[in-house]
């Protein structure tokens, strides 16, 4: 989503530079171009540099190509886990010996097994 907003702003900047309508521009392969014309495409890197030079932008356009998106999910899940230790306590000294330790996590649907393994390992 942020990428799309940034490309749209870049199109508005290029439209001013090329004197074309922003709707006529396309973003392909890291370049902004006007399909079907002989107008030379502009590299996104050049457009990005121009975006931070405020005096070359049209009136009212904020400098920069920054965008922020906040994700606020609805119906957040509740992960759960269980840890159990089987121990033996020496009644005379109070020393505790761990005989066995088990941890179980409910990770839900695993999308990336390697990532899930790392997260579960870190949780233990």
């Amino acid at each position: 989503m942020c990428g799309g907003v940034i490309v749209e702003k870049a199109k508005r900047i290029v439209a001013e530079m090329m004197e074309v309508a922003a709707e006529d521009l396309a973003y392909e392969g890291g370049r902004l171009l006007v399909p079907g014309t002989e107008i030379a495409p502009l590299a996104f890197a050049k457009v990005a540099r121009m975006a931070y030079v405020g005096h070359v932008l049209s009136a009212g356009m904020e400098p920069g190509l920054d965008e922020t998106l906040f994700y606020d999910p609805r119906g957040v899940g509740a992960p759960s886990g269980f840890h159990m230790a089987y121990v033996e306590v020496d009644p005379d000294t109070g020393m505790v010996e761990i005989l066995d330790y088990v941890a179980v996590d409910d990770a839900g649907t695993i999308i990336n097994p390697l990532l899930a393994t790392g997260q579960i390992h870190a949780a233990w």
Side-chain angles (χ1 to χ4, degrees), residues 60-78:
M61 186 178 291
E62 286 286 319
L65 288 177
D66 304 276
E67 185 65 29
T68 302
L69 173 71
F70 293 95
Y71 178 65
D72 185 16
R74 303 266 186 242
V76 177

Side-chain angles (χ1 to χ4, degrees), residues 15-109:
E16 293 280 328
M17 294 170 68
M18 292 183 169
E19 297 180 357
V20 298
E23 302 82 38
D24 295 338
L25 290 161
Y27 176 74
E28 296 175 7
R31 303 177 310 161
L32 288 138
L33 53 104
V34 184
T37 69
E38 297 296 318
I39 300 173
L42 282 175
F44 187 82
K46 182 174 183 177
V47 178
R49 281 193 300 275
M50 296 306 293
Y52 288 90
V53 182
H55 70 274
V56 301
L57 301 176
S58 61
M61 186 178 291
E62 286 286 319
L65 288 177
D66 304 276
E67 185 65 29
T68 302
L69 173 71
F70 293 95
Y71 178 65
D72 185 16
R74 303 266 186 242
V76 177
S80 61
F82 181 82
H83 294 249
M84 183 179 77
Y86 181 59
V87 299
E88 184 175 280
V89 179
D90 184 327
D92 296 327
T93 64
M95 294 296 294
V96 178
E97 181 182 354
I98 299 173
L99 302 175
D100 197 9
Y101 179 80
V102 177
V104 177
D105 288 305
D106 177 10
T109 302

